[in-house]
Amino acid sequence: MNAAADHFEAPDRNLALELVRATEAAAIRAVPWIGKGDKNAADGAAVDAMRKFLGTVDFEGVVVIGEGEKDNAPMLYNGEVVGTGRGPRCDIAVDPIDGTSLTAAGRSHAISMLAVSDRGTMLDASSVFYMDKLVTGAAGEGAVSLELSVGENVRELARALGKPVGEVVVAVLDRPRHQGIIDEIRSAGAGTRLILDGDVAGGINAALDGTRIDMCLGIGGCPEGVATAAAIKAIGGFIQGRLAPLDAEERARGEAAGLRMDHIYEADELVRGDNSIFVVTGVTDGSLVRGVERVGGVVHTESLILRAKSGTIRRIQATHLASKWLED
Ligand code: VTB
């Protein structure tokens, strides 16, 4: 072997290249339900399709973050084992549609996503519903923190990015609970990008270069926080999360499950190690990926696959024969 090439690792398998078929399938099957006002039908079609395709992939995945508990979710429930059972033992987080209401309404930014990491490395935060999150690109490392105020974070990030505070854009879920954060962002002189749903895409956009979002802040779903961490590790960005229990009962349940309530979870505590992958396919048009689109006899999908180990980011455009997937 060429000595100069010795420090390169031997190429290995990128599971994401196979798993992208599962998010593509979920997005394609959602097509008849986009804008039709029935979010459960959209979700059901996507869940079913994703599960079928996961079943073809050589791995043994345990759903750590899924559609909920076994009794409420017929498929892709927490603890369900997916894949052929041959190959690597993994944790998997799935959200066949993040943004079911967006999909049903025909609004932008709905995605189908999944994240995979080595078995036992994904934080099981299923006993707490919400998480306070802070996501930026790599520039935020050592500059921003959930311990700082919103204004301080905005100023520190502006300094780290080398641009005026007035040009910093912060994505926040548009919820009454965030009015305080929104006011603080604006009084610091930065701008908000209010998002209806989908803070996973918001977080990824904050971490990726070349998007119009510099930071994603606020309280969103806990599962979405862990899934975002898998993506952020691949992009090389910054993420912190702090559990935000709704009441004393949820706090106690979380503590009983071994979760630390006032602790700031770093990326490596949300998903341990550097072997995570993240896969997303657009359901409706968004800033991360284009939505799935049927044009006559074909269906177009756009996906992004991220792999932490190699640091690769791939954008995959695919054209599928509609007759194989959808009724006329
Ligand atoms: C967010 C958002 C999701 O849930 O995590 C949010 O990213 C949090 O819950 O798309 P609320 O809607 O109660 O604020 C979603 O909106 C739906 O899963």
Side-chain angles (χ1 to χ4, degrees):
M1 207 219 276
N2 178 346
D6 275 353
H7 69 283
F8 293 116
E9 263 183 56
D12 59 356
R13 181 179 178 210
N14 184 346
L15 202 56
L17 282 162
E18 296 165 54
L19 290 172
V20 70
R21 294 171 70 218
T23 54
E24 285 179 350
I28 295 170
R29 290 281 196 194
V31 164
W33 302 106
I34 296 174
K36 301 293 171 58
D38 186 345
K39 66 178 196 170
N40 291 332
D43 201 33
V47 171
D48 191 25
M50 180 177 276
R51 187 161 179 271
K52 279 203 186 97
F53 274 80
L54 287 176
T56 70
V57 180
D58 279 342
F59 79 128
E60 189 196 292
V62 170
V63 177
V64 174
I65 294 169
E67 293 286 287
E69 300 311 313
K70 187 172 195 268
D71 295 339
N72 306 323
M75 301 169 196
L76 293 178
Y77 53 84
N78 298 348
E80 184 173 346
V81 180
V82 295
T84 62
R86 293 184 295 271
R89 298 172 74 238
C90 303
D91 284 351
I92 177 164
V94 298
D95 202 348
I97 299 184
D98 182 23
T100 49
S101 304
L102 300 176
T103 305
R107 291 189 209 268
S108 312
H109 302 298
I111 56 171
S112 176
M113 55 130 279
L114 60 84
V116 176
S117 62
D118 291 335
R119 175 73 50 85
T121 57
M122 223 176 255
L123 182 71
D124 178 358
S126 50
S127 48
V128 177
F129 199 77
Y130 287 112
M131 179 185 277
D132 197 5
K133 312 166 201 178
L134 164 58
V135 189
T136 70
E141 190 80 54
V144 298
S145 163
L146 278 176
E147 275 172 275
L148 301 177
S149 70
V150 172
E152 283 168 329
N153 276 327
V154 165
R155 284 187 290 276
E156 287 302 321
L157 185 62
R159 207 193 324 264
L161 291 171
K163 67 180 184 180
V165 170
E167 285 176 23
V168 171
V169 178
V170 187
V172 183
L173 279 169
D174 192 3
R175 300 287 187 277
R177 63 174 179 267
H178 288 152
Q179 199 50 55
I181 294 182
I182 293 167
D183 292 344
E184 282 183 71
I185 293 167
R186 292 180 184 157
S187 61
T192 52
R193 170 71 62 87
L194 297 183
I195 50 180
L196 288 172
D197 273 312
D199 63 351
V200 176
I204 296 173
N205 272 319
L208 281 175
D209 282 340
T211 68
R212 292 186 194 84
I213 295 174
D214 303 299
M215 182 176 348
C216 185
L217 262 188
I219 295 177
C222 226
E224 284 86 351
V226 177
T228 307
I232 297 309
K233 295 192 107 171
I235 302 168
F238 175 84
I239 180 168
Q240 284 181 335
R242 183 167 42 205
L243 299 167
L246 286 169
D247 50 32
E249 199 185 310
E250 199 183 37
R251 170 177 280 265
R253 212 177 324 128
E255 278 166 353
L259 295 170
R260 298 163 70 188
M261 288 307 135
D262 300 305
H263 178 67
I264 295 177
Y265 283 89
E266 305 290 341
D268 206 48
E269 296 172 297
L270 297 170
V271 181
R272 264 185 293 119
D274 72 343
N275 204 14
S276 62
I277 60 171
F278 184 88
V279 181
V280 53
T281 300
V283 175
T284 57
D285 282 345
S287 37
L288 198 58
V289 274
R290 292 192 53 155
V292 56
E293 186 187 13
R294 179 174 186 169
V295 184
V298 296
V299 183
H300 300 290
T301 55
E302 186 177 58
S303 308
L304 207 54
I305 67 172
L306 316 172
R307 185 181 186 216
K309 199 171 174 192
S310 51
T312 43
I313 301 179
R314 286 186 172 85
R315 194 172 286 275
I316 299 181
Q317 255 133 5
T319 302
H320 315 257
L321 267 185
S323 58
K324 303 254 181 209
W325 291 91
L326 301 166
E327 293 176 8
D328 280 334

